[in-house]
Amino acid sequence: WKRPSRPWCSSPSQTRPAMPDELLQRLQRFQTDAFPLHRSHFRHLVDDGQHPMTLFIGCSDSRLVPYLLTGAGPGELFLVRNVGAFVPPHDQSQGFHGTAAAIEFAVLNLSVKRIVVCGHSHCGAIRALYGDVSPAAKHLSQWLELGREAALPVAEPGPDVLRRTEQRAVVLQLERLMDYPMVRERVEAGTLALHGWHYVIEDGEVHVFDVQRGGFVPAAQADNAGTGPYVAHQPEALQDDESTRL
């Protein structure tokens, strides 16, 4: 018996000219160009382990680059990225989820001192709260419910409504973080601070949530990176600030 030939299984090099593998080239450049500049630091991180001080929960959007935004280096941020920068309930009502596990690991095992929730302008997840989601995206549809409370009662949101919803969603996640027992315990003890950020991509500026002012303040006008410990507010009860309304 002879196995029939399968043209579709032939090597790509046999069917078309080889194309440059840009991703592979970047990996190679990292090892030859970038890594040598940080070799000793990575060796230190291996020998002594990681000790990040900040858990950064950010949207998966490719325009949000935490290391570029904060000026942090390797070992400084414990990163969690997901659609919308959402925090699932601690009661596991949304099922198993890596974000919840990462929060627990960062607080209980790494003893981080800060948790940042960072949303951003022009967020596709927030825009999707006001529109239809593909029937094929069952996981996405359920996941977006974690931001539903931040949505405003309008049929067709304009830029101002979207901006307000993005910021309201950040505050909603801060409130949900306080439902994690290990988070609440450390916040109330003063050993952990929660920070809500909204990154305006087109301006290159982060607006930080200031508990005392009850709103978001441009970093250029703020006197801290977001006050903590966090005191829960209802999004609709937040006051206006100089730049935007929640």
Side-chain angles (χ1 to χ4, degrees):
W1 179 79
K2 183 178 180 181
R3 183 185 299 275
S5 61
R6 298 189 223 178
W8 58 87
C9 292
S10 59
S11 170
S13 61
Q14 296 176 325
T15 59
R16 65 178 69 88
M19 299 293 291
D21 190 330
E22 181 182 0
L23 189 57
L24 176 60
Q25 292 173 352
R26 293 187 181 194
L27 293 176
Q28 293 170 341
R29 285 199 298 271
F30 166 75
Q31 185 176 31
T32 59
D33 300 342
F35 180 74
L37 301 176
H38 305 280
R39 186 186 303 273
S40 61
H41 184 55
F42 278 110
R43 184 72 261 172
H44 173 74
L45 291 173
V46 170
D47 294 339
D48 293 350
Q50 63 166 332
H51 302 283
M53 291 291 98
T54 301
L55 165 60
F56 188 101
I57 302 174
C59 184
S60 299
D61 193 292
S62 62
R63 298 165 294 183
L64 176 62
V65 187
Y67 282 102
L68 185 62
L69 199 65
T70 63
E76 295 185 48
L77 299 177
F78 190 70
L79 295 175
V80 176
R81 307 290 296 270
N82 63 52
V83 175
F86 293 160
V87 172
H90 179 262
D91 62 9
Q92 293 189 333
S93 59
Q94 297 290 321
F96 292 106
H97 200 276
T99 296
I103 293 169
E104 294 176 345
F105 184 82
V107 174
L108 297 175
N109 294 73
L110 299 177
S111 299
V112 297
K113 302 303 181 185
R114 297 183 175 190
I115 300 179
V116 172
V117 176
C118 187
H120 63 92
S121 61
H122 310 287
C123 180
I126 297 302
R127 184 67 181 86
L129 294 175
Y130 295 97
D132 296 326
V133 178
S134 169
K138 296 180 180 179
H139 294 288
L140 176 60
S141 181
Q142 181 179 8
W143 179 253
L144 290 175
E145 290 304 308
L146 294 177
R148 184 66 59 189
E149 290 181 53
L152 294 164
V154 297
E156 184 58 38
D160 181 61
V161 168
L162 291 173
R163 181 69 55 89
R164 290 165 61 191
T165 307
E166 290 160 358
Q167 295 185 343
R168 287 162 61 93
V170 169
V171 177
L172 178 63
Q173 311 319 310
L174 293 175
E175 293 180 342
R176 201 170 283 138
L177 275 170
M178 289 295 287
D179 290 332
Y180 284 67
M182 72 290 300
V183 172
R184 174 174 289 277
E185 176 186 349
R186 287 160 177 77
V187 168
E188 292 179 345
T191 60
L192 177 65
L194 307 186
H195 306 277
W197 293 358
H198 179 256
Y199 173 47
V200 183
I201 297 172
E202 59 270 35
D203 295 336
E205 184 168 42
V206 173
H207 293 226
V208 302
F209 181 68
D210 189 313
V211 171
Q212 302 304 320
R213 300 192 193 186
F216 283 81
V217 182
Q221 301 172 21
D223 55 12
N224 57 70
T227 49
Y230 181 70
V231 180
H233 289 73
Q234 292 300 321
E236 60 269 23
L238 297 176
Q239 300 175 358
D240 295 349
D241 72 355
E242 304 93 327
S243 60
T244 187
R245 297 179 302 153
L246 294 182

